[in-house]
């Protein structure tokens, strides 16, 4: 583990962090702002509000970082905070609950909402507070907004308003990596002389061989259903919706490679190579199969789970990450690559209810999460406890590095770089350097015929840099509310039908001989071609 960490440090660019100077500046700035806040809001003695955010496996409620977060926020705002926290498991639970609440018009004071179109629509309807004036009043979030390319298109609504504190990042490296990969039981593969797949055909051959050797096992498992699709879609360069293919926007389900991807998954399912619970298992049900000999291959998984599996001393297993298998369409796409520099992702963001009391204080609180001081707290923890500064550079404290399980030790404190224990109001901006050099990201990664211990961020950013999905950095388009309504009215039933049909094709409930009927029904359900044209017309604006 320590050796792997040193490899990461050697691979990363040298970034000098002027810790002492930065801390002094933050202190002075914080004091000035605290005084101003106290004067502006001295009538507010206690700020009470309700928050709904996701959790990621470890509840940060009683961690040191969460306590320090509240302490700092109370000092910064000059008021006592009385927060009712509602943390739901990230995934289907959070997505479905938030959709129901938004549709009902009854939302908490602060919550995380997925999808910029959805955010803009509910903002235009008056459910969400317009944050535009607060962006101009508060300096920290504004810095991220201004650093985001095409921010007017990417972050603001068509009527030039911003309704969310979007997911922030600061990446001072040249890497543009992802945190998702296929994964394989390396010890089982090596024991039986099976090659770690580099092509989609080798993936099938490996699954077939494992089924012969372990007839009671379904070799191919899932961590979450959508990752099953994405894993194979990456190999076949397919997509289940409208996406950018490098030249223009297209509707994926009409393409031959989409059909071929489903045919491949159907073959795995029909030959009992794919876990039949692929649509019913949640994370709690699926992940234990990796350490109990019930799953040997994942087409796509959060890369950090490999570290989790391998540090399970009772299980005594050895997993490895790898690149997505190639196909006749070329190298498997690496999906969800992280851009370099500083900026925001608009996939989801923190919103404030239009009915919230003291929205200016809530905005000021959330804005403070984008400050250097709070980013240090959320990503590194407390100096002297979870990290130290040496020669102007931050690194994890010896007590963390010497722990039997660095990953679990960081979770105990609520340090967010593990991606499991996330304190504060998610999303808090991520310091990518902290993530890329975090020993918790050290994993086994198979590439070019050998396995090595390396940060999955560094491995993906290095080995897959020429295979990033073009959709990751698609041209940024923005629609008016009327255009969004039109797009939703056409595409919502179509997308629902596509998702239902994918399951039926995989299970054999719909035959591929019916593919033309499937395509004809898509056309009859709505004019998706008009929606695709809407996207492409925006490219020229």
């Amino acid at each position: 583990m320590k050796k792997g960490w040193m490899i990461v440090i050697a691979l990363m660019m040298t970034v000098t962090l002027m810790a002492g100077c930065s801390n002094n500046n933050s202190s002075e700035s914080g004091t000035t702002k605290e005084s101003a806040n106290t004067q502006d809001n001295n009538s507010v003695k206690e700020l009470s509000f309700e928050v709904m955010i996701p959790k990621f496996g470890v509840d940060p409620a009683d961690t040191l970082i969460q306590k320090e977060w509240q302490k700092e926020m109370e000092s910064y705002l000059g008021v006592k905070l009385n927060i009712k926290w509602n943390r739901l498991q990230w995934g289907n639970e959070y997505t479905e609950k938030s959709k129901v609440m938004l549709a009902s018009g009854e939302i908490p004071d602060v919550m995380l909402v997925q999808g910029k179109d959805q955010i803009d629509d509910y903002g235009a309807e008056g459910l969400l507070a317009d944050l535009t004036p607060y962006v101009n009043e508060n300096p920290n979030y504004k810095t991220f907004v201004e650093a985001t390319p095409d921010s007017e298109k990417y972050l603001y609504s068509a009527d030039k308003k911003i309704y969310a504190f979007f997911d922030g990042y600061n990446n001072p490296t040249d890497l543009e990596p992802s945190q998702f990969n296929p994964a394989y039981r390396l010890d089982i593969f090596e024991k039986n002389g099976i090659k770690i797949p580099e092509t989609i055909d080798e993936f099938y051959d490996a699954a077939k061989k494992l089924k012969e050797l372990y007839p009671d096992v379904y070799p191919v498992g899932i961590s979450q259903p959508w990752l099953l699709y994405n894993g194979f879609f990456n190999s076949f360069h397919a997509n289940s919706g409208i996406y950018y293919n490098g030249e223009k926007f297209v509707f994926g389900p009409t393409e031959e490679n989409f059909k071929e991807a489903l045919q491949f998954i159907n073959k795995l399912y029909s030959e009992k190579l794919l876990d039949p619970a692929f649509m019913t298992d949640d994370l709690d049900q699926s992940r234990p199969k990796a350490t109990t000999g019930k799953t040997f291959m994942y087409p796509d998984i959060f890369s950090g789970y490999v570290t989790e599996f391998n540090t399970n001393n009772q299980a005594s297993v050895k997993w490895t990450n790898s690149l997505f298998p190639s196909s006749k369409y070329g190298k498997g796409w690496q999906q969800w690559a992280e851009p370099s520099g500083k900026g925001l992702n608009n996939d989801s963001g923190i919103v404030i209810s239009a009915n919230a009391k003291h929205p200016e204080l809530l905005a000021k609180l959330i804005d403070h999460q984008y400050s250097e001081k709070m980013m240090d707290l959320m990503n590194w923890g407390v100096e002297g406890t979870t990290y130290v500064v040496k020669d102007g550079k931050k690194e994890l404290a010896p007590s963390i590095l010497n722990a039997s399980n660095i990953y679990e030790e960081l979770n105990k404190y609520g340090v967010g770089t593990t991606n499991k224990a996330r304190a504060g109001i998610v999303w808090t901006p991520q310091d990518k350097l902290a993530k890329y050099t975090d020993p918790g990201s050290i994993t086994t990664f198979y590439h070019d015929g050998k396995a090595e211990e390396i940060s999955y961020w560094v491995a993906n950013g290095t080995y897959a840099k020429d295979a990033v999905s073009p959709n990751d950095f698609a041209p940024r388009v923005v629609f008016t509310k009327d255009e969004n309504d039109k797009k939703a009215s056409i595409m919502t039933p179509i997308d629902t039908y596509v998702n239902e049909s994918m399951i039926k094709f995989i299970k054999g409930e719909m035959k591929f001989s019916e593919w033309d009927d499937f395509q004809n029904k898509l056309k009859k359900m709505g004019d998706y071609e008009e929606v695709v044209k809407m996207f492409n017309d925006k490219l020229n604006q």
Side-chain angles (χ1 to χ4, degrees), residues 250-268:
V250 294
F251 184 45
T254 63
E255 297 184 306
E256 185 66 19
N257 48 356
F258 176 78
K259 177 183 178 181
E260 291 178 9
L262 292 184
Q263 287 176 318
F264 185 83
I265 304 173
N266 166 260
K267 182 167 66 169
L268 297 177

Side-chain angles (χ1 to χ4, degrees), residues 165-334:
F165 288 91
F166 290 107
D167 185 13
Y169 61 86
N170 181 34
N171 179 6
T173 78
D174 292 329
L175 299 178
E176 293 185 331
S178 173
Q179 56 182 329
F180 291 91
N181 287 105
Y184 307 97
R185 265 288 298 269
L186 181 61
D187 53 348
I188 294 295
F189 273 70
E190 290 181 337
K191 175 183 176 181
N192 295 288
I194 302 174
K195 181 183 178 183
I196 297 296
E198 294 182 28
T199 69
I200 201 68
D201 290 336
E202 290 175 353
F203 187 100
Y204 170 77
D205 291 342
K208 192 77 172 175
K209 182 64 175 178
L210 288 167
K211 186 66 176 180
E212 294 172 359
L213 295 169
Y214 305 91
D216 296 330
V217 173
Y218 296 102
V220 182
I222 56 101
S223 58
Q224 296 179 73
W226 57 277
L227 286 175
L228 168 71
Y229 302 134
N230 279 288
F232 294 119
F233 287 167
N234 284 339
S235 289
F236 284 90
H237 293 190
N239 194 292
S240 62
I242 296 174
Y243 76 103
Y244 186 71
N245 66 5
E247 297 179 357
K248 61 183 180 179
F249 288 97
V250 294
F251 184 45
T254 63
E255 297 184 306
E256 185 66 19
N257 48 356
F258 176 78
K259 177 183 178 181
E260 291 178 9
L262 292 184
Q263 287 176 318
F264 185 83
I265 304 173
N266 166 260
K267 182 167 66 169
L268 297 177
Y269 180 85
S270 61
E271 296 182 18
K272 301 186 185 307
L273 307 180
L274 171 64
D275 190 336
F278 73 93
M279 280 305 300
T280 57
D281 274 2
D282 59 21
L283 282 170
D284 292 336
Q285 294 170 314
S286 62
R287 278 165 50 202
K289 296 179 181 181
T291 52
T292 55
K294 296 180 180 179
T295 293
F296 298 144
M297 309 168 71
Y298 285 106
D300 198 359
I301 193 172
F302 165 57
S303 307
Y305 286 152
V306 165
T307 302
E308 177 184 310
F309 301 155
N310 290 345
T311 54
N312 186 327
N313 295 326
Q314 292 180 330
S316 187
V317 297
K318 185 67 173 179
W319 281 82
T320 185
N321 287 302
S322 189
L323 299 179
F324 288 97
S326 63
S327 70
K328 68 180 184 181
Y329 296 100
K331 292 184 178 180
W333 280 344
Q334 182 67 54

